[in-house]
């Protein structure tokens, strides 16, 4: 009898041990399950923080694109304190090249969700052309265009445009010389409102209302590298192109500064069949109209302003005349730049574009 009782006691102890092991195993499984659930929840929160950061990044890119399209400086900080249960903060920092010029933007976006934080980054490079639409016109201005022929005596230098004209602001063209006629425009004149179109004698059928057209963006950084490889690169300001020792192979001239030239440079002897890109202001001073003319294939592109002054000015270009309207150091829109100003006669057989266009007299064709 005692032996049987002893065996029963042993069985009870064994059962308790097995039960204890099972309970320990169950607790272990529950702890692992809880840990795995916590890890899964943490990973879900991290993923949510990442997607919120991505949403902030996309919002910043969209706003930057809109600002650049409207020729405005983009914001440097974006945030949303309540976005899908979390929040994001985005900072923008200009990215520079070895010359210290802005070639794009670095974005850092931090998303937060349930105390989990994720930071992602992106680099936005300024494109060659933000919008192609502005290139579809013989004359394009992001702001105002003013062309008058104060010297149009005897109907010799009336305004002529072979193509379409667009200005987001006021477009004003007048012939005021003796016996002058109305400006001759083969295409249409468009702006953001009919009241902006102030072209002498223009029929209503040629007046068109269009929404704001963004300023095209020229890639000055690529032009610089191209000039270093196959053209002529000038590191600094330039006062005389004729002294550069140009050869026929130098099709592109890049001036990493301001360029100021005189009538001798504009005779066309040293500028034929070339593209001049000026990373600053391009200016000239002429004194005798009809003599100091460039009547050859030539492209003039400046990041800031293009100005030709003088009581009687003459300038003829078969190609492109374009002023970007950006600060040369920040590569951001600058409302004080982008001006194309010619005091007297001007003829452009190609494309004329800028922020503000003011011509004293001229024949323009596209």
């Amino acid at each position: 009898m005692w032996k049987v009782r002893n065996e029963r006691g042993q069985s009870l102890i064994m059962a308790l041990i097995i039960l204890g092991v099972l309970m320990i195993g169950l607790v272990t499984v529950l702890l692992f399950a809880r840990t795995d659930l916590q890890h899964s929840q943490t990973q879900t929160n991290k993923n949510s923080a990442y997607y919120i950061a991505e949403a902030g990044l996309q919002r910043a890119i969209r706003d930057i694109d809109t600002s650049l399209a409207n020729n405005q400086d983009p914001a440097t900080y974006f945030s949303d304190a309540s976005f899908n249960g979390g929040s994001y903060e985005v900072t923008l920092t200009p990215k520079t090249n070895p010359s210290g010029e802005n070639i794009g933007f670095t974005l850092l976006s931090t998303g937060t969700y349930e105390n989990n934080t994720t930071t992602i980054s992106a680099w936005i490079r300024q494109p060659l052309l933000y919008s192609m639409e502005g290139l579809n016109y013989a004359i394009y201005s992001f702001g105002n265009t003013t062309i008058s022929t104060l010297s149009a005596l005897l109907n010799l230098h009336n305004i002529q445009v072979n193509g379409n004209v667009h200005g987001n602001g006021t477009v004003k063209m007048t012939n005021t010389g003796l016996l002058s006629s109305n400006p001759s425009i083969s295409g249409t004149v468009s702006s953001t409102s009919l009241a902006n179109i102030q072209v002498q004698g223009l029929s209503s059928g040629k007046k068109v209302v269009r929404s704001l057209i963004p300023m095209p963006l020229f890639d000055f950084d690529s032009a610089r590298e191209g000039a270093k490889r196959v053209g002529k690169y000038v590191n600094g300001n330039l006062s005389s192109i004729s002294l550069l020792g140009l050869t026929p192979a130098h099709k592109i001239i890049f001036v990493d500064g301001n360029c100021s030239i005189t009538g001798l440079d504009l005779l066309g002897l040293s500028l034929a069949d070339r593209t001049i890109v000026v990373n600053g202001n391009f200016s000239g001073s002429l004194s005798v109209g009809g003599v100091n003319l460039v009547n050859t294939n030539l492209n003039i592109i400046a990041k800031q302003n293009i100005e030709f002054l003088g009581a009687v000015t003459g300038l003829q270009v078969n190609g492109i005349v374009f002023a970007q309207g950006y600060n040369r150091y920040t590569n951001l829109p600058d409302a004080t730049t982008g001006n194309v100003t010619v005091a007297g006669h001007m003829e452009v057989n190609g494309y004329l574009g800028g922020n503000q266009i003011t011509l004293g007299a001229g024949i323009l064709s596209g």
Side-chain angles (χ1 to χ4, degrees):
M1 294 294 293
W2 284 103
K3 185 176 182 180
V4 173
R5 290 178 181 177
N6 188 37
E7 289 178 352
R8 288 180 177 177
Q10 290 178 352
S11 298
L12 179 60
I13 293 173
M14 184 63 66
L16 291 174
I17 292 174
I18 294 173
L19 180 61
V21 171
L22 291 175
M23 290 182 65
I24 292 173
L26 179 61
V27 170
T28 302
V29 170
L30 291 175
L31 287 175
F32 273 113
R34 180 183 178 185
T35 301
D36 187 63
L37 181 62
Q38 289 177 338
H39 177 75
S40 177
Q41 185 62 47
T42 300
Q43 188 61 44
T44 299
N45 292 342
K46 287 183 178 180
N47 290 340
S48 297
Y50 172 83
Y51 290 123
I52 290 174
E54 179 68 25
L57 194 66
Q58 294 303 319
R59 179 255 174 123
I61 292 173
R62 184 175 64 252
D63 286 4
I64 291 170
D65 284 345
T66 300
S67 296
L68 292 178
N70 292 325
N71 226 30
Q72 299 173 348
D73 293 344
T76 58
Y77 178 79
F78 307 86
S79 66
D80 191 334
S82 179
F83 183 85
N84 286 355
S87 63
Y88 63 75
E89 293 182 333
V90 185
T91 57
L92 179 149
T93 304
K95 185 177 179 66
T96 60
N97 60 17
S99 298
E101 298 167 347
N102 185 353
I103 57 174
F105 306 97
T106 298
L107 297 177
L108 288 179
S109 179
T110 300
T112 302
Y113 185 84
E114 296 292 339
N115 295 323
N116 289 273
T117 299
T118 300
T119 299
I120 59 177
S121 63
W123 174 41
I124 302 177
R125 188 179 188 278
Q126 294 190 13
L128 174 62
L129 291 173
Y130 177 81
S131 170
M132 296 292 288
E133 189 175 359
L135 301 178
N136 294 332
Y137 298 87
I139 304 174
Y140 162 85
S141 66
F142 183 82
N144 302 320
T145 297
T146 302
I147 304 174
S148 60
T149 56
L150 298 177
S151 61
L153 299 177
L154 301 178
N155 202 24
L156 294 178
H157 286 164
N158 287 319
I159 299 170
Q160 298 178 23
V161 181
N162 296 327
N164 299 320
V165 179
H166 178 83
N168 292 321
T170 300
V171 180
K172 185 175 182 179
M173 299 184 187
T174 55
N175 287 328
T176 57
L178 181 63
L179 301 179
S180 62
S181 60
N182 293 328
S184 174
I185 302 174
S186 66
T188 62
V189 178
S190 59
S191 185
T192 51
S193 74
L194 285 177
N196 287 341
I197 303 174
Q198 303 171 19
V199 179
Q200 175 185 347
L202 186 68
S203 65
S204 59
K206 289 193 172 186
K207 298 179 181 180
V208 179
V209 175
R210 299 190 190 281
S211 58
L212 185 144
I213 296 177
M215 171 75 84
L217 297 182
F218 182 78
D219 193 338
F220 285 84
D221 199 48
S222 294
R224 176 191 291 108
E225 296 306 313
K228 289 180 178 179
R229 291 194 308 269
V230 297
K232 195 74 172 181
Y233 173 73
V234 180
N235 186 16
N237 298 329
L238 178 66
S239 60
S240 178
I241 291 179
S242 59
L243 299 179
L244 286 179
L246 298 176
T247 69
H250 295 142
K251 296 299 183 183
I252 179 171
I253 304 168
F254 190 97
V255 180
D256 227 338
N258 298 320
C259 181
S260 178
I261 60 179
T262 63
L264 290 177
D265 286 316
L266 291 174
L267 287 173
L269 300 177
S270 59
L271 299 180
D273 301 319
R274 301 186 195 278
T275 295
I276 302 176
V277 181
V278 179
N279 194 31
N281 295 308
F282 186 95
S283 62
S285 180
L286 309 178
S287 58
V288 181
V291 176
N292 296 328
L293 300 178
V294 175
N295 191 10
T296 186
N297 297 327
L298 173 66
N299 299 314
I300 299 175
I301 300 169
K303 181 172 288 185
Q304 297 190 159
N305 300 307
I306 298 175
E307 297 179 318
F308 287 91
L309 307 177
V312 183
T313 306
L315 177 65
Q316 294 181 1
V317 174
N318 296 331
I320 297 172
V321 176
F322 177 69
Q324 180 68 78
Y326 271 39
N327 182 288
R328 62 165 297 196
Y329 297 106
T330 65
N331 266 357
L332 295 176
D334 184 348
T336 65
T337 66
N339 302 314
V340 179
T341 305
V342 178
H345 171 79
M346 182 176 186
E347 181 173 345
V348 180
N349 297 308
Y351 174 77
L352 174 62
N355 189 22
Q356 308 284 341
I357 298 174
T358 305
L359 308 180
I363 304 172
L364 296 107
S365 59

